[in-house]
Amino acid sequence: MEGLNVAMKRACQKGIFHGIKILNSDTMISHLLYADDAIFVGEWSQENIKNLSRVLRCFQVTFGLKVNFNKSRVFGIGVDMGEVTRRVGPLGCQLASLPFNYLSVPVGSNMKLMKYWKPIIDKFYAKLSPWKAKALSLGIRLTLAKAVLGSLPSYFFSLFVAPTGVINVLEKIRRQFLWGGSDNKHKIAWVSWDKVVAPNDKGGLSLGSIRAFNLSLISKWWWALKTNQSALW
């Protein structure tokens, strides 16, 4: 992958491949690498597409690593799909459009809509299902409710501000699970939910607020943007 990185940088320096310039900056983006995944970003032109194909072929001949074009996708951002169809030939990749998932993150989706949070809601419900609540003690249910908050939604919550509707649904699932209820059968809540989520030194059970958890993770991005404005990502 380091060889591919060097090849792309050299191609950009020689004007063989034209990346995308970030606004109000001298930074040019042509490719992003993560483990064995690669994303190539460039100007939409026939010459650029052909030259990218040539770089990848040279990479294959040099290192013996063949790119699986059948598993690769081409996205034309702001480009008509007919135009994408005509020019995608040199790469041999499949056509795709926004939104799409990359590393389980929805790219190009409007995360203000609840439908894109369905995977998180479904996982929450599966982990904190009513049948589990009936078979577990209150202490174990409390421990499991804490563990689920710290694991399942943290990836999404560190990238997006969750809509109020999503927060309410997740809190409802936790609340019903803790008191042993379900959608069709409600159990008495012996302690107010504000008290349950409060820390131990405030007299609570230290379950933690989902909204506060989400905002605390997002705040790390706000701080990073404020203290390191020259960072690429």
Side-chain angles (χ1 to χ4, degrees):
M1 297 304 284
E2 179 59 25
L4 180 59
N5 176 48
V6 172
M8 284 302 299
K9 286 184 176 180
R10 187 67 60 85
C12 291
Q13 291 171 357
K14 293 183 175 295
I16 297 172
F17 184 82
H18 300 281
I20 299 296
K21 185 178 180 181
I22 295 179
L23 292 176
N24 303 318
S25 171
D26 294 330
T27 303
M28 186 76 71
I29 300 294
S30 59
H31 60 290
L32 299 169
L33 305 177
Y34 179 80
D36 60 347
D37 283 348
I39 297 179
F40 300 98
V41 185
E43 296 178 359
W44 186 262
S45 68
Q46 188 70 50
E47 191 64 23
N48 226 22
I49 295 173
K50 285 183 178 180
N51 287 340
L52 175 59
S53 178
R54 290 163 180 158
V55 170
L56 293 177
R57 297 295 181 190
C58 291
F59 172 73
Q60 174 184 334
V61 171
T62 304
F63 294 99
L65 298 174
K66 185 177 181 180
V67 178
N68 191 336
F69 288 101
N70 290 327
K71 289 186 177 180
S72 303
R73 302 290 184 271
V74 172
F75 298 86
I77 309 301
V79 181
D80 181 77
M81 285 301 292
E83 173 76 2
V84 177
T85 303
R86 289 192 298 271
R87 296 196 175 186
V88 77
L91 288 179
C93 303
Q94 297 184 32
L95 275 65
S97 60
L98 297 174
F100 67 97
N101 283 344
Y102 180 68
L103 301 177
S104 300
V105 175
V107 178
S109 300
N110 184 0
M111 297 307 291
K112 295 180 180 179
L113 302 179
M114 284 190 64
K115 65 180 181 179
Y116 294 112
W117 290 85
K118 190 176 183 301
I120 293 298
I121 295 175
D122 290 344
K123 287 181 180 179
F124 239 70
Y125 193 79
K127 289 290 185 181
L128 304 180
S129 57
W131 69 267
K132 290 183 180 179
K134 296 177 182 179
L136 301 175
S137 66
L138 177 61
I140 296 177
R141 293 200 301 268
L142 176 63
T143 301
L144 185 57
K146 289 181 180 179
V148 168
L149 174 60
S151 59
L152 286 185
S154 57
Y155 191 37
F156 269 50
F157 280 177
S158 65
L159 298 172
F160 309 107
V161 177
T164 302
V166 172
I167 297 294
N168 292 339
V169 170
L170 296 180
E171 288 287 28
K172 180 181 178 181
I173 295 173
R174 288 204 305 168
R175 187 165 56 248
Q176 290 179 341
F177 178 80
L178 183 64
W179 300 121
S182 63
D183 292 334
N184 301 321
K185 185 177 181 181
H186 294 277
K187 291 292 187 73
I188 296 176
W190 297 102
V191 182
S192 68
W193 193 245
D194 290 340
K195 200 73 171 178
V196 171
V197 300
N200 295 132
D201 58 2
K202 300 295 183 181
L205 297 178
S206 195
L207 188 59
S209 163
I210 293 181
R211 170 62 71 188
F213 180 60
N214 183 199
L215 293 179
S216 66
L217 292 174
I218 293 297
S219 296
K220 291 164 56 177
W221 288 110
W222 292 337
W223 179 253
L225 289 169
K226 180 178 176 61
T227 57
N228 191 10
Q229 298 182 10
S230 61
L232 174 61
W233 186 258

